[in-house]
Amino acid sequence: MFDGPEPLYVQIGQMIRSQVLAGELGEDEQVMSTTQFATTFRINPATAAKAFSGLVDEGVLYKRRGLGMFVAPGARARLLEHDRQAYFDEVLAPALAQAKVLGITTDEIVTHIRHQHTTSEES
Amino acid sequence: MTAPFGARLDDVVVRFGRQRRVTSDGGTYRADASAALDGASLTIRPGTITGVLGRNGAGKTTMLSLLAAYRRPTAGTLAVGAGDDPAAWEDPWENPWVTSNVQLVSEGGGVQDDEKLRETLKYYADLRPFWDADTAERLLETFEISTRKKPNALSRGKRSAVGAVLGLASRAPLTIFDEVYLGMDAPTRYAFYDEILADYAAHPRTILLSSHLVEEVERLFEDVVVLDRGRVLLAESAEEMAARGFSLTGPTTAVERLAGDRRILHRQQLGGTVQVTLEGAPDDGTRAAAREAGVEVGHLPLQDLFVRLTDPAARAGHPDGAGR
């Protein structure tokens, strides 16, 4: 857990965001407290707090005084929109660049994707 | 509860007294012992869990015993106290307010060997104003230690666990664990880390933890101090320290292009693939370029960074290594 190249608090943010995106954390659902988070993942509470306050600033979470942190209404839709944008730059662009190096043509890629989609839709 | 304690060292030197040594032909001569601390300066931020790292003989135990007033510096000044203003902190030496609020747990120390553990607990209950008997009770159960036993009947690991209990139950505004994990098996160590985090979250205070098991404890730290040969090599947040290095792994030409003129701390060649450890943090440009070139950007474990920074061969060239 959390062994990526980014700082730990960034990785914690990514984990919560992907849970919201996947619908594992619903809107207005309470997330773990910083203390629970710190003891569960064995990390410094200040690191967890930094991740959570970043998510509050982004509008993914909101704070209820004395109760804790909750998933903000509309958070999933906003994350979806953001990540769809990022998908083309960060996921597809390197894959296409690699295809170019390997001499795979656009037609081949399109045919492959069409084929994949039909099979996955059939199953 | 008193606010968490901070601590500050200014140009602190600790030199142990002259020693009489024996020569090979049986004669004796007097020699100056080397300095355990040689101009150490740093500030421990109140309310943090701070890791104290250093190779054997770097001066960790000497520094930690100064804070608990177990010894005095030969030169330099020392201040310990509550609040964010170091000017309000006090010299710990023969200072009852400071010493009652600082709990140092040394490796295997702090217990009366020939008395039942129950007596040691009573002693600390009187000594520490914020002692929590229920916590002590609960932790002794967690670590499976009987208070009817004398510490010298306990295994090394259990003795260390007693130290862990004393430190945690003291709730001292400055709690210091000096290699307290020694002899503990892995499940006990992890239970110890979990108890530190839970207790710290519920009762914020300053905790200093020295350890050689860097990989196990690095995520507990908010700040990190690295001592090397009696000096402070680094004293900064764990995040800043993590940003001191990263690795690139991929095709040699691509990696070398990306590395540019950054300082290479370490290099490992595996056929056509190379992994280099670089000084500094990767910027967004480097990340994007790496992604396109099929080069993997890796994070540098604190352990590796620590080894590289305190490597005798690397010391000479390091900009922060020569001063303090």
Side-chain angles (χ1 to χ4, degrees):
Chain A
M1 189 63 84
F2 305 132
D3 40 16
E6 293 86 10
L8 197 48
Y9 75 93
V10 174
Q11 296 183 55
I12 295 167
Q14 285 165 347
M15 184 185 105
I16 305 269
R17 269 190 234 105
S18 66
Q19 286 178 346
V20 172
L21 257 179
E24 290 161 26
L25 278 171
E27 292 181 0
D28 290 313
E29 193 177 320
Q30 185 163 14
V31 298
M32 269 195 244
S33 71
T34 18
T35 303
Q36 284 172 320
F37 204 89
T39 48
T40 306
F41 295 104
R42 213 172 268 136
I43 57 172
N44 190 289
T47 311
K50 183 167 181 181
F52 283 29
S53 78
L55 292 167
V56 169
D57 292 344
E58 284 172 36
V60 176
L61 302 180
Y62 68 96
K63 202 185 279 183
R64 271 193 215 158
R65 259 197 118 79
L67 289 174
M69 301 274 199
F70 296 80
V71 177
R76 181 162 183 272
R78 281 195 297 276
L79 286 173
L80 262 178
E81 194 187 339
H82 173 267
D83 283 20
R84 281 181 182 189
Q85 289 290 323
Y87 176 82
F88 290 98
D89 297 338
E90 289 170 18
V91 181
L92 205 52
L96 292 176
Q98 181 68 6
K100 200 173 173 186
V101 172
L102 299 172
I104 301 173
T105 65
T106 310
D107 279 348
E108 276 178 277
I109 294 170
V110 172
T111 313
H112 180 80
I113 293 170
R114 285 247 161 80
H115 179 70
Q116 285 279 309
H117 266 255
T118 357
T119 21
S120 68
E121 274 159 24
E122 275 165 6
S123 61
Chain B
M1 181 160 176
T2 308
F5 272 21
R8 184 171 178 144
L9 276 73
D10 274 304
D11 217 6
V12 166
V13 176
V14 173
R15 206 170 284 123
F16 295 114
R18 284 166 150 252
Q19 291 177 330
R20 191 170 286 279
R21 295 197 184 156
V22 184
T23 59
S24 55
D25 57 9
T28 60
Y29 69 105
R30 290 167 78 86
D32 278 327
S34 58
L37 284 181
D38 188 14
S41 301
L42 83 148
T43 303
I44 307 280
R45 288 197 299 150
T48 57
I49 301 180
T50 295
V52 179
L53 309 179
R55 302 185 55 176
N56 295 324
K60 302 186 294 292
T61 298
T62 304
M63 181 187 88
L64 298 175
S65 9
L66 288 174
L67 300 179
Y70 281 23
R71 70 171 81 249
R72 289 181 92 168
T74 312
T77 55
L78 189 65
V80 176
D84 288 323
D85 179 15
W89 299 346
E90 299 173 16
D91 184 351
W93 188 252
E94 293 186 345
N95 182 327
W97 181 71
V98 171
T99 51
S100 69
N101 284 303
V102 177
Q103 172 72 54
L104 168 64
V105 184
S106 318
E107 176 225 326
V111 288
Q112 288 118 312
D113 259 339
D114 47 357
E115 290 203 62
K116 286 182 181 159
L117 202 50
R118 200 183 295 282
E119 300 304 315
T120 300
L121 293 175
K122 270 188 206 151
Y123 168 75
Y124 279 100
D126 288 342
L127 193 66
R128 299 290 168 229
F130 305 107
W131 179 262
D132 188 310
D134 293 341
T135 298
E137 213 48 52
R138 185 181 62 76
L139 291 173
L140 287 167
E141 217 163 284
T142 303
F143 293 124
E144 298 173 328
I145 300 161
S146 160
T147 52
R148 285 194 298 267
K149 281 202 173 166
K150 292 176 182 175
N152 55 14
L154 296 172
S155 71
R156 178 127 199 222
K158 291 282 184 202
R159 287 174 60 96
S160 292
V162 171
V165 173
L166 295 178
L168 289 167
S170 77
R171 296 267 161 83
L174 176 56
T175 304
I176 306 169
F177 295 103
D178 187 13
E179 295 196 37
V180 165
Y181 62 89
L182 289 172
M184 285 185 187
D185 56 25
T188 308
R189 291 200 303 275
Y190 284 107
F192 174 40
Y193 306 148
D194 289 349
E195 294 294 344
I196 290 180
L197 284 174
D199 204 68
Y200 167 78
H203 307 277
R205 58 202 210 248
T206 310
I207 294 177
L208 299 186
L209 189 70
S210 85
S211 177
H212 287 302
L213 304 180
V214 184
E215 275 172 85
E216 280 187 11
V217 290
E218 67 168 299
R219 285 180 182 176
L220 307 185
F221 301 151
E222 187 172 346
D223 288 355
V224 179
V225 172
V226 179
L227 295 181
D228 190 42
R229 295 177 301 169
R231 287 169 177 243
V232 179
L233 200 57
L234 299 175
E236 59 194 15
S237 72
E239 203 184 311
E240 284 168 313
M241 185 157 173
R244 280 181 176 269
F246 66 102
S247 68
L248 293 175
T249 312
T252 308
T253 46
V255 167
E256 268 166 7
R257 183 170 48 79
L258 283 166
D261 49 9
R262 283 177 190 265
R263 202 168 108 89
I264 295 178
L265 296 173
H266 187 72
R267 184 193 169 94
Q268 201 173 7
Q269 188 85 35
L270 313 135
T273 300
V274 71
Q275 180 175 64
V276 293
T277 302
L278 300 171
E279 208 169 56
D283 48 54
D284 289 344
T286 309
R287 281 184 192 284
R291 212 164 27 222
E292 262 176 44
V295 170
E296 197 183 318
V297 181
H299 120 117
L300 194 60
L302 194 53
Q303 168 90 312
D304 287 11
L305 202 54
F306 168 69
V307 170
R308 308 270 146 75
L309 290 172
T310 56
D311 175 5
R315 270 172 188 154
H318 197 276
D320 295 343
R324 63 180 50 136

